[in-house]
Amino acid sequence: MKEQTLELIRQQVTENPVVIYMKGTPQFPMCGFSSRAAQALASTGLPFAVVNIFDDENIYNYLPFYEDWPTFPQIYIGGELIGGCDITLELYESGELKELMKKAIDAAAQ
């Protein structure tokens, strides 16, 4: 099951220019860190995919092995892990988050 789940995660990360793996959803977050990271992404005005890790026990269990990142949320932009809440907020405050997201979205559209 681990390999199948890691393949599913790989597909989600590569098929979505921006994806957040979080506890809950942006509308109903179940963790303060997930809430703040999702708010930062939403504040860019750009689209992003959301995976509620509580909806799939396998993703909850195996996502930490995908990029060796043990905590949630995890934010991927352009197929790359950018990090969790703190890094996402820093990127948002510097204006880099929107730039990274736009670049990934534009690249995926081509």
Side-chain angles (χ1 to χ4, degrees):
M1 188 52 78
K2 180 178 180 180
E3 292 306 316
Q4 291 171 325
T5 303
L6 292 175
E7 175 60 22
L8 172 63
I9 293 166
R10 187 195 66 74
Q11 286 177 349
Q12 292 171 334
V13 166
T14 56
E15 292 174 2
N16 294 288
V18 182
V19 61
I20 179 173
Y21 291 87
M22 65 180 289
K23 294 178 178 179
T25 65
Q27 297 79 16
F28 298 103
M30 300 175 143
C31 158
F33 295 110
S34 289
S35 176
R36 289 192 295 279
Q39 286 175 351
L41 292 172
S43 293
T44 67
L46 297 171
F48 60 96
V50 176
V51 178
N52 179 352
I53 60 168
F54 292 140
D55 284 346
D56 187 328
E57 184 178 342
N58 291 320
I59 289 180
Y60 177 83
N61 289 327
Y62 297 123
L63 182 63
F65 298 101
Y66 184 72
E67 285 286 340
D68 197 28
W69 191 269
T71 60
F72 306 105
Q74 292 186 24
I75 295 86
Y76 290 81
I77 298 178
E80 301 291 324
L81 174 68
I82 64 157
C85 179
D86 291 344
I87 295 167
T88 302
L89 293 177
E90 288 172 16
L91 290 170
Y92 175 74
E93 289 170 8
S94 73
E96 291 177 74
L97 182 63
K98 187 170 186 173
E99 292 174 28
L100 288 171
M101 290 174 67
K102 183 163 179 14
K103 184 177 175 184
I105 292 166
D106 289 348
Q110 296 183 10

